[in-house]
Each structure stands twice: as structure tokens, then as C-alpha cells.
């Protein structure tokens, strides 16, 4: 069993930077000049993932029946190797966005630079925590309904597919910054019905409706890019990916710990209630008017008084800082149609 945990740890460790590279490359290839290139491209990517997840759950069940769990895992590994070969030989070479020698110290400096902006902090936390807690709810599907867990997982993939389709194709630009918190609430609130031990049809319906809320990540990623300098966009998306995976693990651990004390259905509801609480706490900082839009300014200081690496505090003729405390946070004009 510990060997299996080691394999899972290694795949997560390698998958985190890989996800950041993938999203960074997507934002670089697609237009960022006022059109919706990244949003539509990310939406198509999410939709393809949703379709393949739905098909994968069915195909995985067939493989387990025909071969064995070990054989199904080996087929999955071969498919991953095939995808890696396609990426290696199908993508053209591109110059790196960063310059200089990569190092752990530089990574931490860039992380601190990204974290120094209050608007970016709110967006990153909104991308990490509510989502991670709902993944914790999903981790209890097997414990809640061993015979129908696959149906619940497939229902979640269907809802995610519908949400990404709606957000990517039909939500007008003026609504995107406003819909982040409501979609995060939609992601969690339907799971509260599990507190009452719902029958399977109601549980499936709740999971489908809730999973539409995963579209919040699509809108928040677009906002994160608009708040981030071009040279750090890939790093920001990588930080989002690594933080998201970490919080999904934390969410699953939290939900599992609660399920040791109460019934799995109750643990699902408790975890969802915590996600609702986190979203309501973050919502004020996610409002469109929470940070003035100015193309040249960022947070002058962090809450702890550390100068923002993007833009140091302005100084007057005497050389003193023009203000004290945290300056009002500015962001780039969002790239819309």
C-alpha cells in the first residue's frame, strides 16, 4: 500500500509543474489582446476533459471487469506515455518566458511577488480552498454509496462539462468578474442536501447541479491572468495548479477525518458547509470594485509592510515613501471582447 502512495505522490509532484506549463503555454499561444482566446481555449480544454472523464469511468469499469485492476492501471499508464509522446513530438519549440537560471530561490521570490498583491491573493485562495473542499466531498462518494459511486463521479463530470460550456460560450464579458463567488456557492450548496441522506436520484441531481459551479475556476483563472504581469503568467498558473492540488488533498483528508466521526453523508454536508463559509469570507475581496483598475499600479505594500515586488512604493522629493501602510490595489484592465 505504501508503494501505491509513493506512486501517487510522484505523479502529483510531476503533475503540478506540468499543469502550470500546460496552462502557461495555453495563455501564451492564445490571444490576450482584448479577445476571449484564453477563456475559450481553457473552456474547450475543460470540456474535452469532462467528456473523456465520462467515457473514462465507463471504459475503466469495463477494463477492470475484462482485465483486472492492475491491468486497467497498466493501460492507463500506457495512455499517459502516448500522451507524453504526442506532446513531445507534436508541439513546436518555444522560447522560455523567463530569463536566467531557474532555481528554488527564484521560484520562492516569484511566489512572494505573486502573493504580494492583495487582489491576486484573494483570487488564488478562491481557486484553491472552496474547490479543494468540494473535492473532499467527492472523495466520500465510495463510502457514501459503494454501488453507485461511479454514477456519482460521472454525474460530476457531466455537470462540470455543462458549466464550462456555459461559462466559455454564453456568459458575456461584463458578468464574468461578478459570477465567481455565486458559482463557488453553487459548487457547495447542493451538497448540503446530503445531510438528510438523500435517495440516489436526488443525490445525482445535486452532484450535477453543484459541479456546474466548477466553472468558477475558469472565470477566476481569467481574472488571475489579468492581474499578473505577462512574464509571470505561467508561474501564476503553475502556483494555482500546485495550490489547487494541495488543497484537494487537504480537503479529502478533512472530509475523511470527519467521516471517521459521523456518517459519510453528514461529512459531505459538513465539508460543503465549510466551503460555503470560505466563499462568503472571500467574496468581498472578489468584487469587481474591490481593486481599482489601473494599468500601472499594484499593491505598494503587503499587509505586513513588505514592498510589492511588482511596483515599489512611490517616493516624494525627500526620498520618503509617499504614503504609509498598504496602498490601494490596482490591476490591469481586464482583457475582454
Amino acid at each position: 500500500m505504501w508503494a501505491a502512495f509513493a506512486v501517487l505522490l510522484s505523479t502529483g509532484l510531476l503533475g503540478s509543474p506540468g499543469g502550470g506549463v500546460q496552462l502557461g503555454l495555453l495563455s501564451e499561444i492564445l490571444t490576450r489582446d482584448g479577445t476571449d482566446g484564453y477563456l475559450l481555449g481553457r473552456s474547450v480544454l475543460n470540456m474535452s476533459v469532462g467528456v473523456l472523464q465520462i467515457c473514462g469511468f465507463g471504459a475503466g469499469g469495463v477494463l477492470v471487469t475484462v482485465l483486472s485492476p492492475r491491468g486497467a492501471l497498466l493501460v492507463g499508464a500506457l495512455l499517459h506515455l502516448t500522451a507524453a509522446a504526442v506532446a513531445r513530438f507534436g508541439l513546436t519549440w518555444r522560447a522560455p518566458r523567463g530569463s536566467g537560471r531557474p532555481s528554488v530561490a527564484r521560484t520562492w521570490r516569484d511566489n512572494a511577488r505573486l502573493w504580494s498583491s492583495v487582489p491576486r491573493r484573494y483570487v488564488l485562495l478562491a481557486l484553491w480552498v472552496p474547490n479543494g473542499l468540494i473535492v473532499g466531498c467527492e472523495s466520500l462518494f465510495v463510502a457514501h454509496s459503494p454501488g453507485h459511486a461511479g454514477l456519482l463521479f460521472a454525474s460530476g463530470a457531466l455537470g462540470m462539462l455543462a458549466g464550462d460550456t456555459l461559462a466559455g460560450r454564453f456568459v458575456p464579458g461584463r458578468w464574468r468578474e461578478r459570477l465567481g463567488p455565486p458559482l463557488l456557492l453553487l459548487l457547495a450548496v447542493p451538497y448540503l442536501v446530503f445531510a438528510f441522506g438523500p435517495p440516489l436520484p436526488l443525490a445525482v441531481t445535486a452532484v450535477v447541479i453543484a459541479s456546474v459551479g466548477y466553472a468558477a475556476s475558469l472565470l477566476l483563472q481569467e481574472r488571475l491572468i489579468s492581474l499578473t504581469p505577462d512574464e509571470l503568467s505561467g508561474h501564476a498558473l503553475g502556483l494555482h495548479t500546485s495550490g489547487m492540488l494541495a488543497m484537494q488533498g487537504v480537503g479529502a483528508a478533512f472530509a475523511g477525518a470527519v467521516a471517521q466521526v459521523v456518517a459519510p453523508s453528514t461529512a459531505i454536508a459538513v465539508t460543503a458547509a465549510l466551503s460555503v463559509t470560505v466563499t462568503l469570507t472571500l467574496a468581498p475581496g472578489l468584487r469587481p470594485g474591490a481593486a481599482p483598475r489601473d494599468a500601472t499600479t499594484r499593491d505598494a505594500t503587503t499587509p505586513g509592510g513588505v514592498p510589492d515586488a511588482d511596483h515599489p512604493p512611490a517616493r516624494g522629493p525627500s526620498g520618503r515613501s509617499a504614503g504609509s501602510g498598504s496602498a490601494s490595489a490596482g490591476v490591469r484592465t481586464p482583457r475582454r471582447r
Side-chain angles (χ1 to χ4, degrees):
M1 183 178 71
W2 290 107
F5 283 136
V7 171
L8 292 173
L9 177 62
S10 63
T11 55
L13 185 64
L14 296 174
S16 178
V21 170
Q22 180 190 64
L23 297 182
L25 182 61
L26 187 67
S27 69
E28 183 179 338
I29 293 174
L30 300 178
T31 56
R32 299 180 59 179
D33 55 358
T35 65
D36 296 324
Y38 177 80
L39 181 72
L40 293 176
R42 189 71 174 101
S43 174
V44 171
L45 182 61
N46 285 358
M47 286 187 287
S48 64
V49 170
V51 170
L52 289 176
Q53 281 184 347
I54 295 172
C55 298
F57 285 123
V62 172
L63 287 174
V64 169
T65 302
V66 174
L67 301 176
S68 66
R70 185 187 300 272
L73 290 173
L74 288 175
V75 171
L78 290 175
L79 291 175
H80 273 81
L81 291 175
T82 303
V86 171
R88 171 63 181 84
F89 299 106
L91 295 175
T92 57
W93 182 88
R94 303 182 72 88
R97 287 179 292 272
S99 59
R101 182 180 179 182
S103 66
V104 175
R106 181 177 178 182
T107 298
W108 280 106
R109 284 196 302 270
D110 287 342
N111 286 343
R113 181 179 174 185
L114 291 169
W115 195 250
S116 66
S117 168
V118 173
R120 281 198 296 263
R121 276 206 297 275
Y122 272 99
V123 173
L124 285 169
L125 288 172
L127 282 165
W128 293 343
V129 185
N131 177 307
L133 290 169
I134 297 307
V135 170
C137 294
E138 295 176 351
S139 71
L140 295 178
F141 283 170
V142 174
H144 170 70
S145 181
H148 301 96
L151 176 61
L152 292 173
F153 282 120
S155 300
L158 177 62
M160 183 176 65
L161 172 62
D164 287 333
T165 303
L166 292 173
R169 291 290 179 180
F170 302 108
V171 176
R174 65 181 181 275
W175 285 101
R176 289 180 192 147
E177 287 191 347
R178 296 176 173 85
L179 283 179
L183 284 173
L184 288 176
L185 289 175
L186 177 64
L187 181 62
V189 170
Y191 280 101
L192 299 178
V193 75
F194 279 81
F196 306 101
L200 181 63
L202 181 56
V204 168
T205 302
V207 171
V208 171
I209 294 174
S211 297
V212 173
Y214 277 118
S217 295
L218 188 65
L219 304 183
L220 290 170
Q221 284 175 34
E222 183 188 35
R223 188 169 182 184
L224 178 63
I225 290 178
S226 73
L227 291 168
T228 304
D230 290 348
E231 68 272 13
L232 284 178
S233 61
H235 191 102
L237 292 169
L239 181 61
H240 150 56
T241 302
S242 59
M244 177 187 67
L245 292 175
M247 283 308 305
Q248 287 177 358
V250 171
F254 174 81
V258 176
Q260 297 295 315
V261 181
V262 298
S265 58
T266 304
I268 291 174
V270 170
T271 307
L274 182 58
S275 179
V276 170
T277 302
V278 172
T279 297
L280 293 176
T281 301
L282 295 174
L286 297 173
R287 290 196 302 265
R293 283 169 177 72
D294 180 46
T296 59
T297 60
R298 296 277 201 287
D299 296 311
T301 60
T302 65
V306 179
D308 182 1
D310 286 351
H311 292 277
R315 297 186 179 275
S318 65
R320 295 179 180 273
S321 297
S324 60
S326 296
S328 59
V331 301
R332 294 181 174 189
T333 302
R335 301 175 179 87
R336 304 297 187 206
R337 279 196 184 99

